[in-house]
mmCIF file of all heavy atoms in Angstrom:
data_model
loop_
_atom_site.group_PDB
_atom_site.id
_atom_site.type_symbol
_atom_site.label_atom_id
_atom_site.label_comp_id
_atom_site.label_asym_id
_atom_site.label_seq_id
_atom_site.Cartn_x
_atom_site.Cartn_y
_atom_site.Cartn_z
ATOM 1 N N LYS F 270 44.761 -47.372 57.455
ATOM 2 C CA LYS F 270 45.868 -48.420 57.582
ATOM 3 C C LYS F 270 45.315 -49.743 57.804
ATOM 4 O O LYS F 270 45.742 -50.728 57.131
ATOM 5 C CB LYS F 270 46.827 -48.001 58.722
ATOM 6 C CG LYS F 270 47.695 -46.771 58.361
ATOM 7 C CD LYS F 270 48.643 -46.477 59.516
ATOM 8 C CE LYS F 270 49.864 -47.235 59.405
ATOM 9 N NZ LYS F 270 50.913 -46.792 60.408
ATOM 10 N N ARG F 271 44.277 -49.870 58.570
ATOM 11 C CA ARG F 271 43.644 -51.169 58.915
ATOM 12 C C ARG F 271 43.047 -51.726 57.576
ATOM 13 O O ARG F 271 43.199 -52.811 57.230
ATOM 14 C CB ARG F 271 42.512 -50.994 59.965
ATOM 15 C CG ARG F 271 42.986 -51.398 61.336
ATOM 16 C CD ARG F 271 41.831 -51.598 62.203
ATOM 17 N NE ARG F 271 41.071 -50.397 62.439
ATOM 18 C CZ ARG F 271 41.317 -49.481 63.376
ATOM 19 N NH1 ARG F 271 42.265 -49.703 64.256
ATOM 20 N NH2 ARG F 271 40.609 -48.422 63.463
ATOM 21 N N ALA F 272 42.339 -50.794 56.780
ATOM 22 C CA ALA F 272 41.719 -51.216 55.619
ATOM 23 C C ALA F 272 42.764 -51.703 54.551
ATOM 24 O O ALA F 272 42.592 -52.648 53.843
ATOM 25 C CB ALA F 272 40.851 -50.168 54.976
ATOM 26 N N ALA F 273 43.926 -50.917 54.511
ATOM 27 C CA ALA F 273 44.956 -51.407 53.522
ATOM 28 C C ALA F 273 45.461 -52.744 53.898
ATOM 29 O O ALA F 273 45.644 -53.569 52.916
ATOM 30 C CB ALA F 273 46.099 -50.346 53.606
ATOM 31 N N THR F 274 45.663 -53.030 55.168
ATOM 32 C CA THR F 274 46.084 -54.343 55.581
ATOM 33 C C THR F 274 45.036 -55.406 55.253
ATOM 34 O O THR F 274 45.305 -56.516 54.801
ATOM 35 C CB THR F 274 46.295 -54.446 57.142
ATOM 36 O OG1 THR F 274 47.263 -53.367 57.328
ATOM 37 C CG2 THR F 274 47.036 -55.697 57.505
ATOM 38 N N GLY F 275 43.776 -54.979 55.469
ATOM 39 C CA GLY F 275 42.601 -55.841 55.133
ATOM 40 C C GLY F 275 42.512 -56.223 53.677
ATOM 41 O O GLY F 275 42.294 -57.355 53.258
ATOM 42 N N ILE F 276 42.704 -55.158 52.828
ATOM 43 C CA ILE F 276 42.645 -55.404 51.362
ATOM 44 C C ILE F 276 43.830 -56.255 50.969
ATOM 45 O O ILE F 276 43.595 -57.238 50.198
ATOM 46 C CB ILE F 276 42.764 -54.005 50.649
ATOM 47 C CG1 ILE F 276 41.513 -53.151 50.843
ATOM 48 C CG2 ILE F 276 43.038 -54.213 49.214
ATOM 49 C CD1 ILE F 276 41.708 -51.716 50.485
ATOM 50 N N LEU F 277 44.991 -56.020 51.457
ATOM 51 C CA LEU F 277 46.195 -56.870 51.186
ATOM 52 C C LEU F 277 45.928 -58.383 51.503
ATOM 53 O O LEU F 277 46.308 -59.256 50.671
ATOM 54 C CB LEU F 277 47.356 -56.413 52.009
ATOM 55 C CG LEU F 277 48.763 -56.692 51.484
ATOM 56 C CD1 LEU F 277 48.920 -56.180 50.001
ATOM 57 C CD2 LEU F 277 49.867 -56.101 52.368
ATOM 58 N N ALA F 278 45.193 -58.590 52.600
ATOM 59 C CA ALA F 278 44.916 -60.008 53.037
ATOM 60 C C ALA F 278 43.970 -60.705 51.974
ATOM 61 O O ALA F 278 44.042 -61.923 51.975
ATOM 62 C CB ALA F 278 44.372 -60.039 54.353
ATOM 63 N N THR F 279 43.191 -59.889 51.265
ATOM 64 C CA THR F 279 42.277 -60.564 50.330
ATOM 65 C C THR F 279 42.906 -60.840 48.965
ATOM 66 O O THR F 279 42.344 -61.558 48.185
ATOM 67 C CB THR F 279 41.041 -59.722 50.105
ATOM 68 O OG1 THR F 279 41.323 -58.482 49.360
ATOM 69 C CG2 THR F 279 40.316 -59.343 51.372
ATOM 70 N N LEU F 280 44.076 -60.212 48.751
ATOM 71 C CA LEU F 280 44.685 -60.334 47.438
ATOM 72 C C LEU F 280 45.534 -61.574 47.353
ATOM 73 O O LEU F 280 46.143 -62.070 48.368
ATOM 74 C CB LEU F 280 45.606 -59.113 47.106
ATOM 75 C CG LEU F 280 44.934 -57.717 47.100
ATOM 76 C CD1 LEU F 280 45.963 -56.625 46.854
ATOM 77 C CD2 LEU F 280 43.889 -57.715 46.024
ATOM 78 N N PRO F 281 45.628 -62.248 46.223
ATOM 79 C CA PRO F 281 46.437 -63.476 46.062
ATOM 80 C C PRO F 281 47.890 -63.073 46.265
ATOM 81 O O PRO F 281 48.306 -61.994 45.908
ATOM 82 C CB PRO F 281 46.150 -63.947 44.627
ATOM 83 C CG PRO F 281 45.473 -62.821 43.906
ATOM 84 C CD PRO F 281 44.881 -61.868 44.908
ATOM 85 N N ALA F 282 48.636 -63.927 46.848
ATOM 86 C CA ALA F 282 50.048 -63.730 47.050
ATOM 87 C C ALA F 282 50.756 -63.596 45.684
ATOM 88 O O ALA F 282 50.375 -64.291 44.776
ATOM 89 C CB ALA F 282 50.683 -64.867 47.930
ATOM 90 N N PRO F 283 51.708 -62.711 45.555
ATOM 91 C CA PRO F 283 52.393 -62.541 44.299
ATOM 92 C C PRO F 283 53.196 -63.813 43.960
ATOM 93 O O PRO F 283 53.767 -64.511 44.822
ATOM 94 C CB PRO F 283 53.320 -61.383 44.515
ATOM 95 C CG PRO F 283 53.415 -61.163 46.004
ATOM 96 C CD PRO F 283 52.217 -61.779 46.555
ATOM 97 N N ARG F 284 53.006 -64.152 42.623
ATOM 98 C CA ARG F 284 53.675 -65.430 42.226
ATOM 99 C C ARG F 284 55.142 -65.176 42.091
ATOM 100 O O ARG F 284 55.689 -64.155 41.580
ATOM 101 C CB ARG F 284 53.142 -65.831 40.833
ATOM 102 C CG ARG F 284 51.850 -66.600 40.924
ATOM 103 C CD ARG F 284 51.457 -67.112 39.608
ATOM 104 N NE ARG F 284 51.202 -65.884 38.753
ATOM 105 C CZ ARG F 284 50.862 -66.053 37.421
ATOM 106 N NH1 ARG F 284 50.903 -67.152 36.820
ATOM 107 N NH2 ARG F 284 50.713 -64.991 36.656
ATOM 108 N N SER F 285 55.984 -66.032 42.677
ATOM 109 C CA SER F 285 57.444 -65.900 42.492
ATOM 110 C C SER F 285 57.936 -66.660 41.262
ATOM 111 O O SER F 285 57.403 -67.730 40.881
ATOM 112 C CB SER F 285 58.117 -66.438 43.743
ATOM 113 O OG SER F 285 57.805 -67.764 43.975
ATOM 114 N N THR F 286 58.866 -66.099 40.578
ATOM 115 C CA THR F 286 59.407 -66.662 39.333
ATOM 116 C C THR F 286 60.777 -67.255 39.838
ATOM 117 O O THR F 286 61.359 -66.806 40.794
ATOM 118 C CB THR F 286 59.623 -65.650 38.266
ATOM 119 O OG1 THR F 286 60.547 -64.656 38.720
ATOM 120 C CG2 THR F 286 58.312 -65.067 37.785
#
Side-chain angles (χ1 to χ4, degrees):
K270 288 182 85 171
R271 263 195 297 271
T274 309
I276 292 167
L277 202 57
T279 66
L280 300 177
R284 275 184 299 172
S285 59
T286 60

